[in-house]
Amino acid sequence: MSNVLSPPTVNPDVFIYSLFTMGFTISYTLDLFGANRRAIESLEALAEAQCFQLEAAYLSLASNVVAAAIQEASLRAQIEATQRIIAAQRETLDILRRQEGLGAVTGADVAQQEAALAQAEATLPPLQKALAQGRNLLATLSGRLPSARVAEYFELSDLALPPDLPLSLPSRLVEQRPDIRAAEATLHSASAQVGVAIANQFPRSR
């Protein structure tokens, strides 16, 4: 009632009140030739391609970590073998020097063994340097600074293939590659853009 909506004026028989109305309009553009539909299809394909690119980045990172771990295990084995060779060369040199003192061998034999020992020792620092670089690479790939210490150590004896490898056709393996699937999604997006361009040749509804 109006006498509830507003207070009375001087004249008790006259009441003042306000009336508000609200309305809204809805407009819709008819997609007669499929331009909007194909544009949405193109954007969805681009989003799918980006997802595959992200998956490819993760796979590339994982493969690099595995390769760095295998390389580290190989370098450790080479360093261990080189150290055993150096120890054997030194032992041989000591024997030859004692034999030289007894007159059993000549000085040329001792000099030859010294050269062999020096050559074996020269191969050790490059291997140790490569191992240190591999450790820095593992730290970087794991999201840390190259100088950060990596707790994990890898040995060849710790690495082994799974007993049962999955069997698959080469064509199926290619279909599972993220870069191939990203290329397919990009092609799908380009095809949808062609549809958008064709639809834009026709008149648009207003």
Side-chain angles (χ1 to χ4, degrees), residues 139-164:
T140 303
L141 292 176
S142 59
R144 288 173 282 187
L145 294 176
S147 58
R149 181 177 178 272
V150 180
E152 295 79 6
Y153 290 90
F154 301 96
E155 302 284 348
L156 286 179
S157 57
D158 300 332
L159 305 178
L161 291 174
D164 297 327

Side-chain angles (χ1 to χ4, degrees), residues 22-187:
M22 181 179 64
F24 59 92
T25 59
I26 299 176
S27 62
Y28 179 77
T29 302
L30 295 178
D31 191 19
L32 298 178
F33 304 103
N36 295 335
R37 177 177 56 83
R38 297 307 300 272
I40 294 174
E41 181 182 352
S42 175
L43 293 176
E44 290 177 347
L46 284 178
E48 187 178 8
Q50 292 175 354
C51 291
F52 289 137
Q53 291 174 359
L54 179 61
E55 182 180 353
Y58 279 125
L59 288 178
S60 178
L61 176 61
S63 63
N64 287 335
V65 170
V66 172
I70 295 175
Q71 181 68 15
E72 177 185 340
S74 174
L75 288 171
R76 289 187 184 279
Q78 294 179 55
I79 290 174
E80 183 180 355
T82 302
Q83 290 174 342
R84 289 198 302 265
I85 292 174
I86 292 174
Q89 296 281 7
R90 286 175 179 172
E91 184 179 357
T92 303
L93 179 60
D94 292 338
I95 294 174
L96 289 176
R97 283 174 176 172
R98 288 196 297 267
Q99 290 179 347
E100 182 187 14
L102 297 175
V105 296
T106 63
D109 295 331
V110 176
Q112 183 179 1
Q113 182 59 34
E114 289 176 347
L117 175 59
Q119 184 178 2
E121 290 175 343
T123 60
L124 186 59
L127 294 176
Q128 294 173 337
K129 179 181 178 181
L131 178 60
Q133 291 175 343
R135 298 291 294 174
N136 293 340
L137 177 60
L138 278 174
T140 303
L141 292 176
S142 59
R144 288 173 282 187
L145 294 176
S147 58
R149 181 177 178 272
V150 180
E152 295 79 6
Y153 290 90
F154 301 96
E155 302 284 348
L156 286 179
S157 57
D158 300 332
L159 305 178
L161 291 174
D164 297 327
L165 295 177
L167 300 179
S168 180
L169 295 175
S171 58
R172 295 295 302 272
L173 292 176
V174 171
E175 291 178 356
Q176 296 173 2
R177 287 180 50 176
D179 54 343
I180 300 297
R181 301 180 68 182
E184 291 179 348
T186 304
L187 178 61

